[in-house]
Amino acid sequence: MTINFICDFNPFYTSSAVANRYEGILRGLMQNGIRVNLYVIGGYQSIGEYSGKKLNEFSLLKTKYLVPWLNSNLTLRRINGYLLRRISMALCNAQFKKLLCEPVDYCWIAGGYVIRNFLINNKGINKSKLLIEFSEYQQLYKDDKSLSDRVRNRLEEEFRVTCEFLKYVDSILVITKCLEAYYKTLAPAKVKFMHLPMTVDSSRFSN
């Protein structure tokens, strides 16, 4: 089995709760003999990541960066994020079309607005089943009174895109049953759900 895993960042070089979860998932998949094609949207975040030496231990992992920019400091991030934005989007879209047509078993969407919006605008381009994982509720910003109207409007647009994108996925993975119940109110009835627990099992400590 082969899975295309599309992510905004490389979880093997990023330190965060989300990155740690993704790294654990990818390691588990490979330990069970599944080939993983990791596609990174957001470029390289460090010089060490650019060297790629850390990933040599994984024989079942193939990594490709859709945008070959280095974002190791604020200046580079601003240049790549603003001045080279149109070029980045063109490169991403061209690569998306190629990888979504690859004959793999599943395409796991771990990326955000960019890949979701692309799939909405290119309905039916994918040749494999689409998976997406959620670890939190949508529209958490609703209660944040400190946000500007510009930021709030951007988040509303991202939420709209996410809801539209759910029409085209085959399965949604969630870390709690409460999240499963919530996303069933947003997704079509045809979408399958899988409980992928990554929280503390309180029953183990009941005694």
Side-chain angles (χ1 to χ4, degrees):
M1 180 183 292
T2 302
I3 292 178
N4 281 350
F5 192 91
I6 307 173
C7 195
D8 291 320
F9 52 84
N10 189 327
F12 293 96
Y13 288 97
T14 306
S15 180
S16 70
V18 174
N20 291 341
R21 187 168 70 253
Y22 287 161
E23 180 179 348
I25 289 171
L26 295 180
R27 286 179 179 271
L29 290 172
M30 289 185 288
Q31 286 172 3
N32 284 278
I34 296 173
R35 294 188 175 276
V36 175
N37 299 323
L38 173 60
Y39 291 96
V40 182
I41 300 173
Y44 302 90
Q45 304 304 314
S46 67
I47 300 296
E49 181 177 346
Y50 189 79
S51 70
K53 293 181 180 179
K54 185 177 180 180
L55 302 182
N56 291 339
E57 62 178 291
F58 303 112
S59 60
L60 295 177
L61 178 67
K62 184 180 75 174
T63 306
K64 183 172 183 178
Y65 288 77
L66 305 188
V67 179
W69 311 144
L70 179 63
N71 297 306
S72 58
N73 58 55
L74 181 59
T75 300
L76 289 174
R77 288 195 292 272
R78 285 179 173 174
I79 291 173
N80 299 335
Y82 294 100
L83 298 181
L84 300 178
R85 180 172 178 78
R86 289 188 177 181
I87 297 176
S88 297
M89 293 303 298
L91 287 172
C92 277
N93 288 343
Q95 296 293 338
F96 286 155
K97 288 181 179 178
K98 289 182 180 180
L99 71 90
L100 289 169
C101 290
E102 292 178 358
V104 298
D105 297 282
Y106 294 95
C107 188
W108 188 316
I109 308 298
Y113 177 83
V114 174
I115 180 63
R116 296 176 195 178
N117 196 50
F118 176 85
L119 283 163
I120 290 171
N121 294 325
N122 294 270
K123 303 177 185 67
I125 190 174
N126 54 294
K127 303 301 182 184
S128 57
K129 293 184 177 180
L130 294 179
L131 307 178
I132 188 168
E133 183 247 1
F134 289 108
S135 59
E136 61 184 19
Y137 295 91
Q138 299 291 315
Q139 293 184 296
L140 294 176
Y141 56 87
K142 286 282 190 180
D143 298 325
D144 191 344
K145 306 299 182 183
S146 66
L147 296 179
S148 66
D149 289 340
R150 181 179 62 84
V151 173
R152 193 175 298 277
N153 290 337
R154 176 177 61 79
L155 293 173
E156 280 291 337
E157 170 63 12
E158 291 181 3
F159 174 65
R160 184 196 66 78
V161 166
T162 296
C163 291
E164 181 69 17
F165 171 71
L166 293 182
K167 298 177 182 178
Y168 308 106
V169 302
D170 295 280
S171 299
I172 294 176
L173 293 81
V174 291
I175 64 173
T176 68
K177 288 294 185 179
C178 291
L179 280 174
E180 179 178 336
Y182 169 74
Y183 280 99
K184 280 184 175 179
T185 67
L186 300 179
K190 68 177 180 65
V191 176
K192 296 179 180 178
F193 281 81
M194 179 183 296
H195 183 210
L196 193 67
M198 289 202 174
T199 53
V200 175
D201 181 3
S202 58
S203 66
R204 296 175 61 188
F205 304 93
S206 59
N207 296 322

